[in-house]
Amino acid sequence: MAAKRIGWIGTGVMGQSMAARLLAGGFDVAVHTRTRDKAQPLLDRGARWLDSVADAAGEDAVVSMVGYPADVEEVLLSERGVIAAIDDGSPCRLIIDMTTSTPSLAVEIAEAAAARGVMALDAPVSGGDVGARDGTLSIMVGGDSAALAAAVPIFDLLGKQALLQGGPGAGQHTKMVNQTLIASAIIGVCEGLLYARRAGLDCEQVLASVAGGAAGSWSLSNLGPRILRGDFDPGFFVEHFVKDMEIALEEARRMELELPGLTLARSLYGEVIRRGGARLGTQALYGAIEAIASGGGDDR
Amino acid sequence: MAAKRIGWIGTGVMGQSMAARLLAGGFDVAVHTRTRDKAQPLLDRGARWLDSVADAAGEDAVVSMVGYPADVEEVLLSERGVIAAIDDGSPCRLIIDMTTSTPSLAVEIAEAAAARGVMALDAPVSGGDVGARDGTLSIMVGGDSAALAAAVPIFDLLGKQALLQGGPGAGQHTKMVNQTLIASAIIGVCEGLLYARRAGLDCEQVLASVAGGAAGSWSLSNLGPRILRGDFDPGFFVEHFVKDMEIALEEARRMELELPGLTLARSLYGEVIRRGGARLGTQALYGAIEAIASGGGDDR
């Protein structure tokens, strides 16, 4: 039986747009978030309000899209969380955590959910604010195929693809690969543009020469122009990216892997935060690299 | 008056394919290279042989595509080079160096050429062996627009675009931006795939999730699959990439810029060379990062 009533937890930049797509797609959405005001645009479009996360256990499926692993734990695993509120009479059959969080927490959630006879998926996304709005996210799924099958009507509204990457935690691991790729790519974009400026080149013309070839990347085509016009507004917040990189580095340590590029990126973003850029977009790395490159940054 | 007779110097992987395209496009090509045997495929297709680089001064235009800045200097600027051989009676009106070389050498060549009334362009390329064969290179041009206009019939056969980036040396600077972008991108690709493998993920499936989104890049889409099937054959030689990174780092130092990502890449590629990988493709960074990541590399 397909889930019709969705309990949605978390209405940040991403969650807001994603829940709106489910509403527009005909789902009956009930929403909870820490600050009720932030849910108002969804309530205005017909969403119901849930007084607590535990109340989400009364819906057919629950989707969480919150900030940090600690939030995921609180919302899904704690005594006051969704899973603890599920009993034999609860309609909830499926829990989907779409937050970028740790693979080990995803395993814990899957086990706790299974103990109550409920399916669970970790399903972090890439595609940013634009992908969330347009329903073109790439959804990286960990769990089993039965759970994915149950989630397909939801994922169809949110993403251009939802690929099963393995058992619980595999979606989160895949997202860590994604973030590891992005971390070094952005360093290259910032250093390349900085070099171009210092060499006195016309940066737009340089992009025209290099963006379509072997140096091309999403980061260059999308963040490059923003950097050039001095637009450091968030598509994706620095503080969230730092969280992701820390999860990836911690997982790498657990696998006894040292990743020098990711380590460098984490360190450089530390400089962005020291410069007050936690709530800027990830392209704000440019300013930190410029400061460091010119000897004005930390003493690394 | 358009150049019809081209003196072509250098028949490596790139030069060979590019000169062949000029021959096929109707140019009268005369070729010189250090080892005559390597020019044989071009001679078989109708190219004339030049006994010395100086003899290239007898053609309407000269194109050099050699290995290192020292080779460019020898071929174009030395006493036995092309420019020294140009006198009032020489037909040569245009010199194009397509080698990836230093911006300062490009300026020297342009000045020496101008002193003989000859136009010069620095015009390094990106697009690799495939782009050279298919005529889809991106050509990054430094010089003036009159020289570029004279070179258009040549560039039209070699590339999908040839963009003027500024005066002498600006083509080389743009290529350095290109290589700086690639350097960090490849680190990300190697670390991402290494993480994926260690986490026990199906790497092909991971690529399907991440390659089309914000983590996407030419490096990921083109080098990623080669790394996964253990194919480290050269599209672009490690030793040439190291040369390019050293030029970029030297130019950055001259501009008083420290580039931490590029510095890291140069250092990691040093490990590739220590492991005997100078003549492998740039994707061979994977093996070095794997060794370093697992504590088996140098003691950085």
Side-chain angles (χ1 to χ4, degrees):
Chain A
M1 193 187 64
K4 285 292 167 204
R5 294 154 50 101
I6 309 288
W8 188 279
I9 302 168
T11 57
V13 176
M14 299 291 291
Q16 185 89 228
S17 297
M18 293 160 73
R21 290 194 62 83
L22 294 192
L23 274 170
F27 279 98
D28 176 0
V29 178
V31 63
H32 180 82
T33 197
R34 252 185 318 229
T35 313
R36 182 176 169 151
D37 280 359
K38 293 201 175 162
Q40 198 56 51
L42 291 168
L43 302 179
D44 291 345
R45 296 182 187 208
R48 290 173 288 122
W49 173 250
L50 294 171
D51 282 324
S52 71
V53 291
D55 288 346
E59 310 297 324
D60 300 331
V62 175
V63 183
S64 51
M65 185 66 173
V66 294
Y68 291 82
D71 302 318
V72 175
E73 203 166 354
E74 168 75 18
V75 157
L76 297 180
L77 278 181
S78 75
E79 284 178 17
R80 289 164 304 164
V82 174
I83 294 174
I86 295 176
D87 57 30
D88 289 347
S90 300
C92 181
R93 301 267 56 87
L94 175 64
I95 294 175
I96 308 171
D97 181 33
M98 304 191 76
T99 316
T100 296
S101 171
T102 68
S104 53
L105 185 56
V107 172
E108 275 187 73
I109 291 165
E111 288 171 352
R116 310 244 167 176
V118 174
M119 299 181 288
L121 295 172
D122 48 299
V125 303
S126 81
D129 50 343
V130 176
R133 211 162 43 234
D134 300 347
T136 56
L137 297 168
S138 172
I139 306 173
M140 296 159 260
V141 186
D144 63 35
S145 50
L148 175 56
V152 160
I154 297 170
F155 290 163
D156 276 351
L157 288 171
L158 302 180
K160 63 180 175 187
Q161 63 178 8
L163 297 183
L164 191 63
Q165 293 292 348
Q172 297 296 353
H173 271 312
T174 302
K175 180 66 186 278
M176 292 305 123
V177 173
N178 192 76
Q179 302 308 69
T180 299
L181 287 159
I182 290 174
S184 284
I186 295 183
I187 293 176
V189 169
C190 293
E191 292 188 0
L193 293 179
L194 182 58
Y195 179 108
R197 274 205 175 136
R198 286 292 173 88
L201 300 174
D202 172 341
C203 291
E204 306 284 351
Q205 182 79 336
V206 170
L207 284 185
S209 266
V210 307
S217 67
W218 187 98
S219 292
L220 183 62
S221 296
N222 287 272
L223 301 182
R226 295 190 206 181
I227 291 169
L228 292 182
R229 61 176 185 262
D231 170 6
F232 298 108
D233 286 347
F236 185 53
F237 286 120
V238 163
E239 62 187 2
H240 288 161
F241 191 45
V242 166
K243 170 202 67 166
D244 296 355
M245 287 190 287
E246 286 181 345
I247 294 170
L249 284 168
E250 176 59 31
E251 290 296 321
R253 266 191 294 276
R254 214 172 281 193
M255 299 187 283
E256 298 189 342
L257 273 187
E258 275 182 58
L259 300 177
L262 184 59
T263 302
L264 174 63
R266 170 65 189 87
S267 156
L268 293 170
Y269 272 99
E271 179 66 16
V272 180
I273 288 177
R274 278 190 290 280
R275 294 160 54 87
R279 301 286 290 173
L280 295 178
T282 50
Q283 72 276 21
L285 184 65
Y286 182 83
I289 284 191
E290 186 176 34
I292 289 166
S294 311
D298 66 5
D299 53 6
R300 196 172 321 99
Chain B
M1 193 187 66
K4 285 293 167 204
R5 294 155 48 103
I6 309 288
W8 189 280
I9 302 167
T11 57
V13 176
M14 299 291 291
Q16 185 89 228
S17 296
M18 293 160 74
R21 289 194 62 84
L22 294 192
L23 274 170
F27 279 98
D28 175 359
V29 178
V31 62
H32 179 83
T33 198
R34 249 183 324 226
T35 313
R36 182 175 170 153
D37 280 358
K38 293 201 175 160
Q40 198 57 51
L42 291 168
L43 302 179
D44 291 345
R45 294 180 189 211
R48 290 173 289 121
W49 174 250
L50 294 171
D51 282 324
S52 73
V53 291
D55 287 347
E59 311 297 324
D60 300 331
V62 174
V63 182
S64 51
M65 186 67 174
V66 293
Y68 292 83
D71 302 319
V72 175
E73 202 165 355
E74 168 76 17
V75 157
L76 296 181
L77 278 181
S78 75
E79 283 179 17
R80 290 164 304 164
V82 174
I83 295 174
I86 296 175
D87 57 30
D88 289 347
S90 301
C92 181
R93 300 268 55 86
L94 175 64
I95 293 174
I96 307 171
D97 180 34
M98 304 191 77
T99 315
T100 295
S101 171
T102 69
S104 53
L105 185 55
V107 172
E108 275 187 74
I109 292 165
E111 289 172 352
R116 310 245 167 174
V118 174
M119 299 182 288
L121 294 171
D122 49 298
V125 302
S126 81
D129 50 345
V130 175
R133 211 162 45 230
D134 300 345
T136 56
L137 297 168
S138 172
I139 307 173
M140 296 160 259
V141 186
D144 64 35
S145 49
L148 175 55
V152 160
I154 297 170
F155 290 163
D156 276 351
L157 288 171
L158 302 180
K160 63 182 175 186
Q161 63 178 7
L163 298 183
L164 191 63
Q165 293 292 348
Q172 297 296 353
H173 271 312
T174 301
K175 180 66 187 278
M176 291 304 124
V177 174
N178 192 77
Q179 303 307 70
T180 299
L181 287 159
I182 290 174
S184 283
I186 295 183
I187 293 176
V189 169
C190 294
E191 292 189 359
L193 293 179
L194 182 58
Y195 180 108
R197 274 205 176 140
R198 285 292 173 89
L201 299 174
D202 173 341
C203 291
E204 305 283 351
Q205 182 79 336
V206 170
L207 284 185
S209 265
V210 307
S217 67
W218 186 98
S219 291
L220 183 62
S221 296
N222 287 273
L223 302 182
R226 294 190 206 182
I227 291 169
L228 292 183
R229 61 175 184 262
D231 170 7
F232 297 108
D233 287 346
F236 185 53
F237 286 121
V238 164
E239 63 186 4
H240 288 161
F241 191 44
V242 166
K243 169 202 69 166
D244 296 355
M245 288 190 285
E246 287 181 345
I247 294 171
L249 284 168
E250 176 59 29
E251 290 296 321
R253 267 191 293 274
R254 215 173 280 192
M255 300 188 282
E256 299 188 343
L257 273 186
E258 274 182 59
L259 300 177
L262 184 59
T263 302
L264 174 63
R266 170 64 189 88
S267 156
L268 293 171
Y269 272 100
E271 179 67 15
V272 180
I273 289 177
R274 278 189 291 281
R275 293 160 55 86
R279 301 287 289 174
L280 295 177
T282 51
Q283 72 275 23
L285 184 66
Y286 182 82
I289 284 191
E290 186 176 33
I292 290 166
S294 311
D298 66 6
D299 54 6
R300 194 171 325 99

